Coordinates of all heavy atoms in Angstrom, one line a residue:
M1 N -6.8 8.6 -14.9 CA -7.6 8.3 -13.7 C -7.6 6.8 -13.4 O -7.7 6.4 -12.3 CB -9.1 8.7 -14.1 CG -9.9 8.8 -12.8 SD -9.2 10.0 -11.6 CE -10.2 9.8 -10.4
T2 N -7.3 5.9 -14.5 CA -7.2 4.5 -14.2 C -6.1 4.1 -13.5 O -6.0 3.1 -12.7 CB -7.3 3.8 -15.6 OG1 -6.3 4.2 -16.4 CG2 -8.7 4.0 -16.3
I3 N -5.1 5.1 -13.6 CA -3.7 4.7 -12.8 C -4.1 4.9 -11.3 O -3.6 4.1 -10.5 CB -2.6 5.6 -13.3 CG1 -2.2 5.4 -14.8 CG2 -1.5 5.5 -12.4 CD1 -1.7 4.1 -14.9
T4 N -4.8 5.9 -11.0 CA -5.2 6.0 -9.7 C -5.9 4.8 -9.0 O -5.5 4.3 -7.9 CB -6.1 7.3 -9.4 OG1 -5.4 8.5 -10.1 CG2 -6.3 7.6 -8.0
Y5 N -6.9 4.3 -9.7 CA -7.6 3.1 -9.3 C -6.8 2.0 -9.3 O -6.8 1.2 -8.4 CB -8.9 3.0 -10.1 CG -10.0 4.0 -9.9 CD1 -10.4 4.7 -11.0 CD2 -10.4 4.4 -8.7 CE1 -11.3 5.6 -10.8 CE2 -11.2 5.3 -8.5 CZ -11.8 6.0 -9.5 OH -12.7 7.0 -9.3
M6 N -5.8 1.7 -10.2 CA -4.9 0.6 -10.2 C -3.9 0.7 -9.1 O -3.7 -0.3 -8.5 CB -4.1 0.6 -11.6 CG -3.7 -0.7 -12.1 SD -3.3 -0.7 -13.8 CE -2.0 0.4 -13.9
M7 N -3.3 1.9 -8.7 CA -2.5 2.0 -7.5 C -3.3 1.7 -6.4 O -2.7 1.0 -5.4 CB -2.1 3.5 -7.6 CG -1.0 3.7 -8.6 SD 0.7 2.9 -8.2 CE 1.2 3.6 -6.8
L8 N -4.5 2.2 -6.2 CA -5.4 1.8 -5.1 C -5.5 0.3 -5.0 O -5.5 -0.1 -3.9 CB -6.6 2.7 -5.1 CG -7.6 2.5 -4.0 CD1 -7.0 3.2 -2.7 CD2 -9.0 3.2 -4.2
A9 N -5.9 -0.3 -6.1 CA -6.3 -1.8 -5.9 C -5.0 -2.6 -5.5 O -4.9 -3.4 -4.7 CB -6.7 -2.3 -7.3
F10 N -3.7 -2.2 -6.2 CA -2.5 -2.9 -5.9 C -2.0 -2.6 -4.5 O -1.6 -3.6 -3.9 CB -1.5 -2.7 -7.0 CG -1.6 -3.4 -8.2 CD1 -1.7 -2.7 -9.5 CD2 -2.0 -4.8 -8.2 CE1 -1.9 -3.3 -10.5 CE2 -2.2 -5.3 -9.5 CZ -2.2 -4.7 -10.6
T11 N -2.2 -1.4 -4.1 CA -1.6 -1.2 -2.7 C -2.5 -1.7 -1.8 O -2.1 -2.1 -0.5 CB -1.4 0.4 -2.5 OG1 -2.7 1.0 -2.7 CG2 -0.3 1.0 -3.3
T12 N -3.9 -1.8 -1.9 CA -4.8 -2.5 -0.9 C -4.5 -3.9 -0.9 O -4.6 -4.4 0.2 CB -6.3 -2.2 -1.4 OG1 -6.5 -0.8 -1.6 CG2 -7.2 -2.8 -0.5
I13 N -4.2 -4.5 -1.9 CA -3.9 -6.0 -2.0 C -2.6 -6.2 -1.2 O -2.6 -7.2 -0.4 CB -3.8 -6.5 -3.5 CG1 -5.3 -6.6 -4.1 CG2 -3.2 -7.9 -3.4 CD1 -5.2 -6.8 -5.6
Y14 N -1.7 -5.5 -1.5 CA -0.4 -5.6 -0.8 C -0.4 -5.4 0.8 O 0.1 -6.2 1.5 CB 0.7 -4.6 -1.4 CG 2.0 -4.8 -0.8 CD1 3.0 -5.7 -1.4 CD2 2.5 -4.0 0.3 CE1 4.2 -5.9 -0.8 CE2 3.7 -4.1 0.8 CZ 4.7 -5.0 0.2 OH 5.9 -5.2 0.7
L15 N -1.1 -4.4 1.1 CA -1.3 -4.1 2.5 C -2.1 -5.1 3.3 O -1.9 -5.4 4.4 CB -1.8 -2.8 2.7 CG -0.9 -1.5 2.5 CD1 -1.6 -0.2 2.6 CD2 0.4 -1.6 3.4
T16 N -3.2 -5.6 2.6 CA -4.0 -6.6 3.2 C -3.3 -8.0 3.2 O -3.3 -8.6 4.2 CB -5.2 -6.9 2.3 OG1 -5.9 -5.6 2.1 CG2 -6.2 -7.9 2.9
A17 N -2.4 -8.4 2.4 CA -1.8 -9.5 2.3 C -0.6 -9.3 3.5 O -0.3 -10.4 4.2 CB -1.0 -9.9 1.0
T18 N 0.0 -8.2 3.5 CA 1.0 -8.0 4.7 C 0.3 -8.1 6.0 O 1.0 -8.6 6.9 CB 1.5 -6.6 4.4 OG1 2.2 -6.5 3.1 CG2 2.7 -6.4 5.6
Y19 N -0.8 -7.6 6.2 CA -1.5 -7.7 7.4 C -1.8 -9.2 7.8 O -1.6 -9.7 9.0 CB -2.8 -6.9 7.4 CG -3.7 -7.1 8.7 CD1 -3.3 -6.6 10.0 CD2 -4.8 -7.9 8.6 CE1 -4.0 -6.8 11.0 CE2 -5.5 -8.0 9.8 CZ -5.1 -7.5 11.0 OH -6.0 -7.7 12.1
F20 N -2.3 -10.0 6.8 CA -2.5 -11.4 7.1 C -1.2 -12.2 7.4 O -1.2 -13.0 8.1 CB -3.3 -11.9 5.9 CG -4.7 -11.7 5.8 CD1 -5.3 -11.2 4.8 CD2 -5.6 -11.7 7.0 CE1 -6.7 -10.8 4.8 CE2 -6.9 -11.3 7.1 CZ -7.5 -10.9 5.9
Y21 N -0.2 -11.8 6.6 CA 1.1 -12.4 7.1 C 1.6 -12.1 8.3 O 2.1 -13.0 9.1 CB 2.1 -12.0 6.0 CG 3.5 -12.5 6.2 CD1 3.8 -13.8 6.1 CD2 4.6 -11.7 6.6 CE1 5.1 -14.4 6.3 CE2 5.8 -12.2 6.7 CZ 6.1 -13.5 6.6 OH 7.3 -13.9 6.9
Y22 N 1.4 -10.8 8.8 CA 1.8 -10.4 10.1 C 1.0 -11.2 11.2 O 1.5 -11.7 12.1 CB 1.6 -8.9 10.3 CG 1.7 -8.4 11.7 CD1 3.0 -8.4 12.3 CD2 0.6 -8.2 12.7 CE1 3.2 -7.8 13.6 CE2 0.9 -7.8 13.9 CZ 2.1 -7.7 14.4 OH 2.4 -7.3 15.7
R23 N -0.3 -11.4 10.9 CA -1.1 -12.2 11.9 C -0.7 -13.6 11.9 O -0.7 -14.2 13.1 CB -2.6 -12.1 11.5 CG -3.3 -10.8 11.9 CD -4.8 -10.6 11.6 NE -5.5 -12.0 12.0 CZ -6.6 -12.3 11.6 NH1 -7.4 -11.5 10.8 NH2 -7.2 -13.3 12.0
H24 N -0.2 -14.2 10.8 CA 0.2 -15.5 10.7 C 1.5 -15.6 11.5 O 1.8 -16.7 12.1 CB 0.5 -15.9 9.2 CG 1.1 -17.2 9.0 ND1 0.5 -18.3 9.3 CD2 2.3 -17.6 8.7 CE1 1.2 -19.5 9.2 NE2 2.3 -18.9 8.7
T25 N 2.5 -14.7 11.3 CA 3.7 -14.7 12.0 C 3.5 -14.5 13.6 O 4.2 -15.3 14.4 CB 4.7 -13.7 11.6 OG1 4.1 -12.5 11.7 CG2 5.1 -13.9 10.1
V26 N 2.5 -13.8 14.0 CA 2.4 -13.7 15.4 C 1.8 -14.9 16.1 O 2.1 -15.4 17.1 CB 1.4 -12.5 15.7 CG1 0.8 -12.5 17.1 CG2 2.0 -11.2 15.4
K27 N 0.8 -15.6 15.3 CA 0.2 -16.9 15.8 C 1.3 -17.9 15.8 O 1.4 -18.8 16.7 CB -0.9 -17.1 14.8 CG -1.7 -18.5 15.2 CD -3.0 -18.6 14.5 CE -2.7 -19.2 13.2 NZ -3.9 -19.6 12.5
K28 N 2.1 -18.0 14.8 CA 3.1 -19.0 14.7 C 4.5 -18.8 15.5 O 5.2 -19.6 15.9 CB 3.7 -19.3 13.3 CG 2.6 -19.8 12.4 CD 2.3 -21.3 12.8 CE 1.3 -21.8 11.9 NZ 0.9 -23.1 12.2
G29 N 4.6 -17.5 15.9 CA 5.7 -17.1 16.7 C 7.0 -17.0 16.0 O 8.1 -17.0 16.5
T30 N 7.0 -16.8 14.7 CA 8.1 -16.5 13.8 C 8.4 -15.1 13.5 O 7.6 -14.2 14.1 CB 7.9 -17.2 12.4 OG1 6.7 -16.7 11.8 CG2 7.8 -18.7 12.6
E31 N 9.4 -14.7 13.0 CA 9.9 -13.4 12.7 C 9.1 -12.8 11.5 O 9.0 -13.4 10.4 CB 11.4 -13.4 12.4 CG 11.9 -12.0 12.2 CD 13.4 -12.1 11.9 OE1 14.0 -13.1 11.7 OE2 14.0 -10.9 11.6
F32 N 8.7 -11.5 11.7 CA 8.1 -10.7 10.7 C 9.2 -10.1 9.9 O 10.0 -9.3 10.4 CB 7.1 -9.7 11.3 CG 6.4 -8.9 10.2 CD1 5.4 -9.5 9.5 CD2 6.6 -7.6 10.1 CE1 4.6 -8.8 8.6 CE2 5.9 -6.8 9.3 CZ 4.9 -7.4 8.4
R33 N 9.3 -10.5 8.6 CA 10.4 -10.0 7.7 C 10.3 -8.9 6.8 O 11.2 -8.6 6.0 CB 11.0 -11.3 7.1 CG 11.4 -12.4 7.8 CD 11.9 -13.5 6.9 NE 12.3 -14.7 7.7 CZ 13.2 -15.3 7.6 NH1 14.0 -15.2 6.5 NH2 13.5 -16.4 8.3
Y34 N 9.2 -8.2 6.9 CA 9.1 -7.0 6.0 C 9.7 -5.8 6.6 O 9.9 -5.5 7.8 CB 7.6 -6.6 6.0 CG 6.9 -7.4 5.0 CD1 6.6 -8.8 5.2 CD2 6.4 -7.0 3.9 CE1 6.0 -9.7 4.3 CE2 5.6 -7.7 2.8 CZ 5.5 -9.1 3.2 OH 4.8 -10.0 2.2
K35 N 10.5 -5.0 5.8 CA 11.1 -3.7 6.2 C 10.1 -2.7 6.5 O 9.2 -2.5 5.6 CB 12.1 -3.3 5.1 CG 13.1 -4.4 4.7 CD 14.4 -4.3 5.5 CE 15.5 -5.3 4.8 NZ 16.2 -5.9 5.8
P36 N 10.3 -1.8 7.5 CA 9.3 -0.9 7.8 C 9.3 0.3 6.8 O 8.3 0.9 6.5 CB 9.8 -0.3 9.2 CG 10.7 -1.3 9.7 CD 11.2 -2.1 8.6
I37 N 10.5 0.5 6.2 CA 10.5 1.5 5.1 C 9.7 1.2 4.0 O 8.9 2.1 3.4 CB 11.9 2.1 4.8 CG1 12.0 3.2 3.8 CG2 12.4 0.9 3.9 CD1 11.7 4.5 4.7
F38 N 9.6 -0.1 3.5 CA 8.7 -0.4 2.4 C 7.3 -0.3 2.8 O 6.5 0.1 1.9 CB 9.1 -1.8 1.9 CG 10.4 -2.0 1.3 CD1 11.1 -3.1 1.7 CD2 10.9 -1.1 0.5 CE1 12.4 -3.3 1.1 CE2 12.2 -1.3 -0.1 CZ 13.0 -2.3 0.3
L39 N 6.9 -0.7 4.1 CA 5.5 -0.5 4.4 C 5.2 0.9 4.4 O 4.0 1.3 4.1 CB 5.3 -1.3 5.8 CG 5.4 -2.8 5.7 CD1 5.4 -3.3 7.2 CD2 4.5 -3.4 4.8
L40 N 6.1 1.9 4.9 CA 5.7 3.2 4.9 C 5.5 3.8 3.6 O 4.6 4.6 3.2 CB 6.8 4.0 5.7 CG 6.9 3.8 7.2 CD1 8.0 4.5 7.8 CD2 5.6 4.3 7.8
I41 N 6.3 3.4 2.6 CA 6.2 3.8 1.2 C 4.9 3.4 0.6 O 4.2 4.1 -0.1 CB 7.4 3.3 0.5 CG1 8.7 4.2 0.9 CG2 7.2 3.6 -1.0 CD1 9.9 3.7 0.3
I42 N 4.6 2.1 0.8 CA 3.4 1.5 0.2 C 2.1 2.2 0.9 O 1.1 2.4 0.2 CB 3.3 0.0 0.4 CG1 4.5 -0.7 -0.3 CG2 1.9 -0.6 -0.1 CD1 4.4 -0.5 -1.9
G43 N 2.2 2.4 2.1 CA 1.2 3.1 2.9 C 0.9 4.5 2.4 O -0.2 4.9 2.2
L44 N 2.0 5.2 2.1 CA 2.0 6.5 1.5 C 1.4 6.6 0.1 O 0.4 7.3 -0.2 CB 3.3 7.2 1.5 CG 3.3 8.6 1.0 CD1 2.6 9.6 1.9 CD2 4.8 9.0 0.8
L45 N 1.7 5.5 -0.7 CA 1.0 5.3 -2.0 C -0.3 5.1 -2.0 O -1.1 5.5 -2.8 CB 1.9 4.5 -2.8 CG 3.2 4.8 -3.4 CD1 4.0 3.5 -4.0 CD2 3.1 5.9 -4.3
F46 N -0.7 4.3 -0.9 CA -2.1 4.0 -0.7 C -3.0 5.2 -0.2 O -4.0 5.4 -1.0 CB -2.3 3.0 0.4 CG -3.8 2.6 0.7 CD1 -4.5 1.9 0.0 CD2 -4.2 3.2 2.0 CE1 -5.9 1.6 0.3 CE2 -5.5 3.0 2.3 CZ -6.3 2.2 1.5
L47 N -2.4 6.0 0.6 CA -3.0 7.3 0.9 C -3.2 8.2 -0.2 O -4.2 8.7 -0.4 CB -2.4 7.8 2.1 CG -2.6 7.1 3.4 CD1 -1.7 7.9 4.6 CD2 -4.0 7.0 3.9
L48 N -2.2 8.4 -1.0 CA -2.2 9.2 -2.1 C -3.3 8.8 -3.2 O -3.9 9.5 -3.8 CB -0.8 9.3 -2.8 CG 0.2 10.1 -2.0 CD1 1.5 10.1 -2.6 CD2 -0.2 11.6 -1.9
S49 N -3.1 7.5 -3.5 CA -4.3 7.1 -4.4 C -5.6 7.0 -3.9 O -6.5 7.3 -4.6 CB -3.9 5.6 -4.9 OG -3.8 4.7 -3.8
L50 N -5.8 6.8 -2.6 CA -7.1 7.1 -1.9 C -7.6 8.5 -2.1 O -8.7 8.8 -2.4 CB -7.0 6.6 -0.5 CG -8.5 6.5 0.2 CD1 -9.4 5.6 -0.5 CD2 -8.2 6.2 1.6
Y51 N -6.7 9.4 -1.8 CA -7.0 10.9 -2.0 C -7.2 11.3 -3.5 O -8.3 11.9 -3.7 CB -5.8 11.7 -1.5 CG -6.0 13.2 -1.9 CD1 -6.8 14.0 -1.1 CD2 -5.2 13.6 -2.8 CE1 -6.9 15.3 -1.4 CE2 -5.3 15.2 -3.2 CZ -6.2 15.8 -2.4 OH -6.3 17.3 -2.6
G52 N -6.6 10.7 -4.3 CA -6.8 10.9 -5.7 C -8.2 10.4 -6.3 O -8.9 10.8 -7.1
S53 N -8.6 9.2 -5.7 CA -9.8 8.5 -6.2 C -11.1 9.3 -5.5 O -12.2 9.5 -6.0 CB -9.9 7.1 -5.7 OG -9.9 6.9 -4.3
V54 N -10.8 9.9 -4.2 CA -12.0 10.6 -3.7 C -12.0 12.0 -4.3 O -13.2 12.4 -4.6 CB -11.7 10.8 -2.1 CG1 -12.6 11.8 -1.5 CG2 -11.7 9.5 -1.5
T55 N -11.0 12.6 -4.7 CA -11.1 14.0 -5.2 C -11.1 14.0 -6.8 O -11.3 15.0 -7.4 CB -9.9 14.8 -4.9 OG1 -8.7 14.2 -5.3 CG2 -9.8 15.2 -3.5
N56 N -11.2 12.8 -7.4 CA -11.2 12.6 -8.8 C -9.9 13.4 -9.6 O -10.2 14.0 -10.6 CB -12.5 13.0 -9.4 CG -13.6 12.1 -9.1 OD1 -13.4 10.9 -8.8 ND2 -14.8 12.7 -8.9
Q57 N -8.7 13.2 -9.0 CA -7.7 13.6 -9.6 C -6.7 12.7 -10.2 O -6.7 11.5 -9.5 CB -6.9 14.6 -8.5 CG -7.5 15.9 -8.2 CD -6.6 16.6 -7.2 OE1 -5.6 16.1 -6.8 NE2 -7.0 17.7 -6.8
P58 N -6.2 12.8 -11.3 CA -5.3 11.8 -11.8 C -3.9 11.8 -10.9 O -3.6 12.7 -10.2 CB -4.8 12.3 -13.1 CG -5.7 13.3 -13.4 CD -6.5 14.0 -12.2
F59 N -3.4 10.5 -10.9 CA -2.3 10.4 -10.0 C -1.1 11.2 -10.4 O -0.3 11.6 -9.6 CB -1.8 8.8 -10.2 CG -0.9 8.4 -9.0 CD1 -1.6 8.3 -7.7 CD2 0.3 8.2 -9.1 CE1 -0.8 8.0 -6.6 CE2 1.0 7.7 -8.1 CZ 0.6 7.4 -6.8
N60 N -1.0 11.6 -11.6 CA 0.3 12.4 -12.0 C 0.1 13.8 -11.6 O 1.1 14.6 -11.7 CB 0.5 12.3 -13.6 CG -0.5 12.8 -14.4 OD1 -1.6 13.0 -13.9 ND2 -0.4 12.8 -15.7
T61 N -1.1 14.4 -11.3 CA -1.2 15.7 -10.7 C -1.0 15.6 -9.3 O -0.6 16.8 -8.7 CB -2.6 16.3 -11.0 OG1 -3.6 15.4 -10.4 CG2 -2.8 16.3 -12.5
I62 N -1.3 14.6 -8.6 CA -1.0 14.5 -7.1 C 0.5 14.4 -7.0 O 1.1 15.0 -6.0 CB -1.7 13.3 -6.5 CG1 -3.3 13.5 -6.7 CG2 -1.4 13.2 -5.0 CD1 -4.0 12.1 -6.4
V63 N 1.1 13.5 -7.7 CA 2.6 13.3 -7.5 C 3.1 13.7 -8.9 O 3.3 12.8 -9.8 CB 2.8 11.8 -7.1 CG1 4.4 11.7 -6.9 CG2 2.1 11.4 -6.0
P64 N 3.6 15.0 -9.1 CA 4.0 15.3 -10.4 C 5.4 14.8 -11.0 O 5.5 14.7 -12.1 CB 4.1 16.8 -10.4 CG 4.1 17.1 -8.9 CD 3.5 16.1 -8.2
F65 N 6.2 14.4 -10.1 CA 7.4 13.8 -10.6 C 7.3 12.3 -11.1 O 8.1 11.8 -11.6 CB 8.5 13.9 -9.5 CG 8.2 13.1 -8.2 CD1 8.3 11.7 -8.1 CD2 7.6 13.8 -7.1 CE1 8.1 11.1 -6.9 CE2 7.2 13.1 -5.9 CZ 7.4 11.7 -5.9
I66 N 6.1 11.7 -10.9 CA 6.0 10.4 -11.4 C 5.5 10.3 -12.8 O 6.0 9.7 -13.7 CB 5.0 9.6 -10.6 CG1 5.8 9.2 -9.3 CG2 4.5 8.3 -11.3 CD1 4.8 8.4 -8.4
G67 N 4.5 11.3 -13.2 CA 3.9 11.3 -14.5 C 4.5 12.4 -15.3 O 4.4 12.7 -16.5

């Protein structure tokens, strides 16, 4: 269960930092350099960990090929 909360925390931090970086690049007019596939993967992991924390399921039962 702690893996689910750890994944939720790290993906939240990553997505929040990415959002603030995006706002910074729009304000400065520079190029946003993150790849969309990485953001989709991190977003999917965030949703899976959020689902696991709401339903109280360990992360390895949600995604069986990881654990």
Side-chain angles (χ1 to χ4, degrees):
M1 199 60 191
T2 60
I3 297 295
T4 306
Y5 292 126
M6 211 164 55
M7 287 290 290
L8 184 63
F10 284 127
T11 55
T12 303
I13 291 168
Y14 184 85
L15 290 174
T16 304
T18 303
Y19 173 71
F20 284 130
Y21 176 66
Y22 174 74
R23 285 185 42 196
H24 175 73
T25 58
V26 167
K27 187 168 71 171
K28 294 290 183 182
T30 58
E31 181 183 0
F32 183 67
R33 297 183 180 219
Y34 281 67
K35 305 264 189 225
I37 190 72
F38 292 139
L39 292 176
L40 287 174
I41 291 170
I42 297 296
L44 180 67
L45 287 174
F46 171 75
L47 291 175
L48 287 173
S49 60
L50 185 64
Y51 172 75
S53 65
V54 168
T55 59
N56 289 330
Q57 291 182 355
F59 199 71
N60 62 352
T61 60
I62 299 169
V63 187
F65 58 85
I66 287 183

